[in-house]
Amino acid sequence: MKLLEIQNNMLEIAIMFDKFCTEHNLEYSICGGSLIGAVRHKGFVPWDDDFDVVMPRDDYNRFLKCWKEDNRFALIKVGDHNYYKPATPAKVYMKGTRVAEINELANGMPEFCPYGIFLDIFPVDEYPDNFLGNFCNKYIGKLVLAKSMSQFHLKNKGVIFRNLVKLLRLVPEKLVNSIRDAAINYVKQKASTTSKTFIGYGVETPFTNLKIDKSAMWPAKQEFVINDYIFKGPQSAETYLTCRYGNYMSLPPESMRFQHIVKVKHIDE
């Protein structure tokens, strides 16, 4: 399947998601490469083959509860059978497709993921800007990801990293999940009682390069155009993008311009 076709399918999912959130009064914002595409290209980044959105934690939880599967789109999330991608806690994907992503087979993962052409959904948390808040932001998601990856041989990774991750096979998954849940609860409760907070990616994700004021993120503004459709984005896209990418208007080196999806297959389901 050609890149343009993948992007068109992702756009279709994203438009459905936007309408679903409007119908159910859920807040969201495009983010990551999708936001760069809207700001820099008024569409997709030319080589990009994913679509990213974030939701405030409470809206994310409500979305998971009120989502209803139909004959075209399905939801897969952390905790579902065979889902091993905790770095992206939830995805909405197009039924009847499955994708193979770069380097995964070489690291011992299945050739095709248990989902198809997708939309990535990330919660964001409001963290207390103290030692424990920053610790939760920086390290809990890395622990969760490493535990999930420890089931694979990871031969494409460095020896030290691979052996450190393998040690986590000895740690019960229930313990890691309990640490994750305790951290999420701590962050939520503490942020509600302190004046100094910041917005970052969800506790369970490994992404630590977002630390901005809540007012720069929410409420989202519906003014970001991707292929003629207007999506919601951060209150200050400049603040978000500068925090994550620095000079986001400059193109990355050609070595960094590549697709993550290497194959798409169609299945009956």
Side-chain angles (χ1 to χ4, degrees), residues 15 20-21 40 43 62 65-66 96-97 105 113 156 160-161 163 172 175 185 202 226 234 252 254:
I15 291 172
F20 184 92
C21 288
R40 194 171 67 199
R62 284 175 53 214
K65 289 180 180 178
C66 65
T97 64
L105 185 62
C113 301
N156 242 18
I160 295 176
F161 174 84
N163 288 329
L175 176 60
N185 289 333
I226 297 179
E254 290 194 15

Side-chain angles (χ1 to χ4, degrees), residues 36 39-40 209-210 212 237-251:
I36 288 182
V39 172
R40 194 171 67 199
N209 61 345
L210 179 65
I212 61 175
E238 181 178 5
T239 300
Y240 170 93
L241 290 171
T242 300
C243 180
R244 288 207 65 197
Y245 303 105
N247 185 6
Y248 59 88
M249 293 303 289
S250 295
L251 294 176

Side-chain angles (χ1 to χ4, degrees), residues 193-210:
T193 61
T194 185
S195 59
K196 194 175 181 184
T197 64
F198 66 91
I199 292 293
Y201 276 89
V203 168
E204 69 271 47
T205 75
F207 307 111
T208 60
N209 61 345
L210 179 65

Side-chain angles (χ1 to χ4, degrees), residues 140-205:
I140 301 300
K142 290 180 173 62
L143 170 66
V144 171
L145 177 61
K147 173 58 182 175
S148 180
M149 294 298 99
S150 69
Q151 64 187 294
F152 305 114
H153 62 61
L154 303 178
K155 289 182 179 178
N156 242 18
K157 304 292 185 181
V159 174
I160 295 176
F161 174 84
R162 187 165 66 240
N163 288 329
L164 285 173
V165 169
K166 281 183 179 179
L167 288 174
L168 285 172
R169 293 176 181 174
L170 304 174
V171 179
E173 186 173 358
K174 285 186 178 180
L175 176 60
V176 173
N177 291 343
S178 295
I179 293 171
R180 175 200 66 201
D181 293 343
I184 291 172
N185 289 333
Y186 167 79
V187 163
K188 182 175 182 178
Q189 293 172 9
K190 193 67 175 177
S192 67
T193 61
T194 185
S195 59
K196 194 175 181 184
T197 64
F198 66 91
I199 292 293
Y201 276 89
V203 168
E204 69 271 47
T205 75

Side-chain angles (χ1 to χ4, degrees), residues 46-229:
W47 56 87
D48 202 12
D49 57 0
D50 67 358
F51 202 109
D52 304 315
V53 300
V54 291
M55 306 181 79
R57 173 69 65 179
D58 288 345
D59 293 76
Y60 173 79
N61 289 339
R62 284 175 53 214
F63 169 78
L64 296 183
K65 289 180 180 178
C66 65
W67 169 263
K68 288 185 171 54
E69 191 168 316
D70 62 20
N71 61 350
R72 299 198 61 210
F73 306 108
L75 172 71
I76 191 169
K77 62 187 186 302
V78 168
D80 288 349
H81 180 62
N82 287 339
Y83 187 61
Y84 48 85
K85 297 285 192 72
T88 308
K91 295 174 182 279
V92 172
Y93 67 91
M94 188 164 283
K95 285 186 172 181
T97 64
R98 292 293 183 269
V99 296
E101 297 193 68
I102 192 168
N103 291 330
E104 296 203 344
L105 185 62
N107 281 313
M109 302 173 201
E111 179 180 10
F112 284 92
C113 301
Y115 52 82
I117 297 171
F118 57 86
L119 168 84
D120 285 333
I121 307 172
F122 304 90
V124 292
D125 285 313
E126 184 177 4
Y127 291 83
D129 198 1
N130 58 19
F131 174 80
L132 279 178
N134 281 278
F135 182 91
C136 290
N137 177 244
K138 291 180 180 179
Y139 299 112
I140 301 300
K142 290 180 173 62
L143 170 66
V144 171
L145 177 61
K147 173 58 182 175
S148 180
M149 294 298 99
S150 69
Q151 64 187 294
F152 305 114
H153 62 61
L154 303 178
K155 289 182 179 178
N156 242 18
K157 304 292 185 181
V159 174
I160 295 176
F161 174 84
R162 187 165 66 240
N163 288 329
L164 285 173
V165 169
K166 281 183 179 179
L167 288 174
L168 285 172
R169 293 176 181 174
L170 304 174
V171 179
E173 186 173 358
K174 285 186 178 180
L175 176 60
V176 173
N177 291 343
S178 295
I179 293 171
R180 175 200 66 201
D181 293 343
I184 291 172
N185 289 333
Y186 167 79
V187 163
K188 182 175 182 178
Q189 293 172 9
K190 193 67 175 177
S192 67
T193 61
T194 185
S195 59
K196 194 175 181 184
T197 64
F198 66 91
I199 292 293
Y201 276 89
V203 168
E204 69 271 47
T205 75
F207 307 111
T208 60
N209 61 345
L210 179 65
K211 187 176 182 180
I212 61 175
D213 190 78
K214 183 178 181 179
S215 63
M217 192 75 218
W218 312 116
K221 301 186 295 187
Q222 192 132 18
E223 60 178 45
F224 296 88
V225 179
I226 297 179
N227 293 20
D228 299 323
Y229 192 87

